[in-house]
Amino acid sequence: MTKAVAMRPRVLAIAEAANPEWVSVPLVGWSLSQALREQADVHLVTQIRNRDAILRAGLVEGQDFTAIDSEAIARPLWAMAERLRMGEGKGWTTLQAFNALIYPWFEHLVWKTFGADIKAGRYDIVHRITPLSPTIASPLARKVSAAGVPFVLGPLNGGVPWPKHFDTERRAEKEWLSYFRSAYKLLPGRDSTVKHAAAIIVGSRHTQSEIPAQYAGKTVFIPENGIDPARFNQTANPKDDMLRACFVGRLVPYKGADMLITAAADLLRSRRMTLDIIGDGPMLGELTNLAGSLGCEEGLTFHKWLPHHEVQSVLGRSHILSFPSIREFGGGVVLEAMALGVVPVVVDYAGPGELVTEETGLKVPCGPRSEIVDGLNKILTELATDPAQLRPLAKRAQARVQSHYLWSRKAEQIRQIYDWIQGDSGSSIPSAFSPTLEQTSAR
C-alpha cells in the first residue's frame, strides 16, 4: 500500500556539527538543515557547543532546535585525540577514528530525548546530516526504522584514497591510520546503518563505491557543499592587464600551494601574473622561503587567515581560483569561486574534479608532482596571454552554481527524496528526480 505523501514532512534533522559561524563540516550541517526549512517542518538536533551561535542566528531553543550535551564523553576523548594527531591540522583519520568512539553517545542521548516522539509518529522522517564521514555508524538507524519512521543518511563523504605519487605528503599529514582505513567496514554497526537507512545521500563517487552492492539502489549522489547567496553575492571583476590568481585553503602539504608557487614562479617574476594566497597553517614559513628562493615574492601576497565573509573580496579580484589540492573530499571553495564568476583551475581528482566540468573550469590530470607542476604551468602561461578569454567560462560557472549548487536547490532535491521514501520505499529510487538532481543509482 502506498502511503500519502505529507504536504510538508515533519523532519527531525540530526546534525551533531551545525554552526553558522564556523566553516567546513559545521557550516554544511547548518546550511543544509536551514535550507530544508523551506521544504519541511524541521527541528534541528545538534551538539551543545553550537548552541550560542545558533541562538545568535535567531533560532528559538526548544521550538526550532535542541542542543544535546554530550560533553561528559566528548570533551576528554577529543582532548586525547588532539594530543595524538601530532600537529595542528594533521591526522584527520585519527580524529575520525576517535569520532567513531565519541559519536554513538550523542545519538544515545538523541534517542533518550526524542525516542518517544519518534515512536509516537510525531516525525515523518529522521535525517542524519552530520557527521559526513561514512566511517561513523548510526545506532539510531535501526531504532528509527523499527519505529516505522524512514531514516535518511547523508550526505556521506570522505576517505578518498591518497594518490599513489604523494606518499610523502601522506606521512607529512600524519595519516598513519589511513593505511588501515578500510577496516572501518568491519566495525559493529556499519552494516546495520546502511541496511536500515531508507535512502543514502552520497557526496562523492568514491563514497558511493564503498556502499555495499545490495544497498546501492537507495543511494543518491548530491555533492555535499552548497552556496548561500547571502554569503557569496558578488560578481568578480578582475582587471585584465595581467592574470590574477587566488588560492584559498589551509597551508598543509596536500593542498598543493607549493606546487602552485613553483608553477607560477616565471609568470610572477615577469609581472604577467599575480597570486593571492588566503590561508594559514604549518607550511607558511616553508612557502614564504620557497617564494624567496624562486625570486617571485613581488607578485605574491600571503594574506594568512581571513574571516569567511572577507574571502570573497580578495577572491573577487581574481580571474582564477588556482587550487591544486590532491585530496579534497568536497571542495567548497571551488563552488564559492564559481559563484563569484572566478574560474577554478584544479587537479582532476576527488571533489574538485567532480564539481568542475569542461564548460566551467580547467583541470590538470592527477599524476606525479612534476607532471602537476608542468600542467599548471602550461595552463597559467596560456591564460596569461589573454585573461579575458576566461569570461565565457566564468559566466557558465556562475550559472551552474545557480542551477545546481545553491543550498535551496539541494533542499529541493532532498525534498524529492523525502517524497519518494514516504510514497513507496519498497521500490528503487527513480533514475532521476529532476534535471538538476545528480543521481547515480545502481540498476
Side-chain angles (χ1 to χ4, degrees):
M1 178 69 69
T2 299
K3 296 184 293 184
V5 176
M7 291 299 294
R8 279 180 64 86
R10 298 164 298 172
V11 177
L12 188 68
I14 300 169
E16 189 264 356
N19 195 305
E21 298 175 2
W22 296 348
V23 295
S24 191
V25 174
L27 186 57
V28 171
W30 167 260
S31 300
L32 183 53
S33 64
Q34 297 318 292
L36 286 170
R37 292 185 185 279
E38 296 298 317
Q39 303 293 329
D41 295 331
V42 173
H43 188 88
L44 170 64
V45 186
T46 191
Q47 212 270 354
I48 198 166
R49 63 178 172 271
N50 305 307
R51 177 179 179 271
D52 291 345
I54 291 174
L55 288 172
R56 285 192 289 270
L59 268 64
V60 178
E61 188 168 13
Q63 173 181 304
D64 301 318
F65 80 101
T66 297
I68 298 291
D69 188 353
S70 59
E71 288 294 272
I73 298 295
R75 188 183 295 275
L77 286 178
W78 277 126
M80 185 183 300
E82 287 293 339
R83 289 196 296 271
L84 291 176
R85 72 188 301 191
M86 296 170 286
E88 182 182 355
K90 306 289 183 68
W92 177 254
T93 307
T94 300
L95 285 185
Q96 291 308 304
F98 268 84
N99 201 15
L101 300 174
I102 296 167
Y103 180 73
W105 178 248
F106 174 79
E107 283 204 0
H108 166 77
L109 296 178
V110 172
W111 182 255
K112 186 176 180 179
T113 305
F114 290 97
D117 286 341
I118 292 170
K119 289 189 285 188
R122 296 191 178 95
Y123 293 99
D124 301 305
I125 292 166
V126 175
H127 182 176
R128 194 191 89 171
I129 298 173
T130 70
L132 302 182
S133 173
T135 66
I136 311 299
S138 176
L140 275 178
R142 178 182 57 81
K143 296 176 181 178
V144 172
S145 179
V149 177
F151 182 84
V152 176
L153 184 65
L156 299 180
N157 200 6
V160 175
W162 280 84
K164 63 181 180 179
H165 302 291
F166 287 87
D167 203 54
T168 299
E169 286 73 14
R170 187 181 196 176
R171 294 194 298 272
E173 291 284 348
K174 311 299 184 185
E175 282 290 282
W176 315 118
L177 282 182
S178 68
Y179 292 97
F180 311 101
R181 179 187 174 275
S182 60
Y184 87 89
K185 299 175 184 179
L186 304 176
L187 293 175
R190 191 260 180 168
D191 188 72
S192 176
T193 299
V194 293
K195 175 182 178 181
H196 290 104
I200 303 168
I201 303 168
V202 292
S204 71
R205 307 292 188 184
H206 172 76
T207 299
Q208 188 185 40
S209 75
E210 292 196 330
I211 301 297
Q214 62 266 41
Y215 308 124
K218 56 184 178 183
T219 63
V220 182
F221 173 48
I222 303 177
E224 75 192 62
N225 291 108
I227 291 295
D228 179 355
R231 287 175 179 260
F232 277 77
N233 53 11
Q234 300 179 12
T235 295
N237 186 28
K239 297 178 181 178
D240 288 339
D241 55 333
M242 68 177 71
L243 179 65
R244 300 178 184 275
C246 187
F247 170 95
V248 183
R250 291 186 301 118
L251 303 184
V252 293
Y254 78 88
K255 295 285 185 176
D258 56 325
M259 293 190 291
L260 172 61
I261 293 172
T262 302
D266 286 343
L267 296 169
L268 293 171
R269 283 195 298 265
S270 59
R271 307 292 179 87
R272 289 179 288 162
M273 174 181 165
T274 64
L275 175 60
D276 292 295
I277 292 183
I278 301 174
D280 208 340
M283 286 188 71
L284 177 60
E286 179 183 333
L287 295 173
T288 303
N289 291 337
L290 175 63
S293 68
L294 294 173
C296 60
E297 314 102 303
E298 191 70 24
L300 175 59
T301 302
F302 288 98
H303 295 268
K304 298 185 180 180
W305 181 86
L306 291 178
H308 194 240
H309 67 275
E310 293 182 16
V311 171
Q312 68 172 329
S313 297
V314 178
L315 187 55
R317 300 198 296 261
S318 308
H319 296 97
I320 60 172
L321 170 75
S322 42
F323 189 64
S325 177
I326 50 90
R327 189 175 181 261
E328 202 73 24
F329 302 153
V333 68
V334 174
L335 292 183
E336 292 172 349
M338 291 169 62
L340 298 176
V342 176
V343 176
V345 178
V346 302
V347 172
D348 190 8
Y349 189 69
E354 293 175 350
L355 294 172
V356 176
T357 67
E358 292 181 358
E359 293 76 29
T360 60
L362 300 163
K363 297 192 277 192
V364 179
C366 187
R369 169 179 291 272
S370 60
E371 291 183 8
I372 292 177
V373 171
D374 287 345
L376 279 172
N377 177 261
K378 289 177 182 177
I379 289 175
L380 297 175
T381 301
E382 168 61 26
L383 296 179
T385 62
D386 180 18
Q389 66 184 289
L390 288 161
R391 290 174 187 167
L393 282 175
K395 290 181 179 178
R396 290 195 294 268
Q398 211 166 16
R400 185 164 176 81
V401 167
Q402 293 295 317
S403 64
H404 282 65
Y405 295 118
L406 297 183
W407 285 114
S408 59
R409 299 297 293 149
K410 291 178 178 290
E412 291 169 1
Q413 295 167 4
I414 291 173
R415 171 60 192 269
Q416 292 176 65
I417 297 173
Y418 291 168
D419 289 348
W420 172 77
I421 60 176
Q422 286 187 276
D424 184 0
S425 58
S427 63
S428 295
I429 291 179
S431 59
F433 290 115
S434 74
T436 63
L437 183 60
E438 306 285 356
Q439 209 282 342
T440 57
S441 289
R443 291 291 163 214

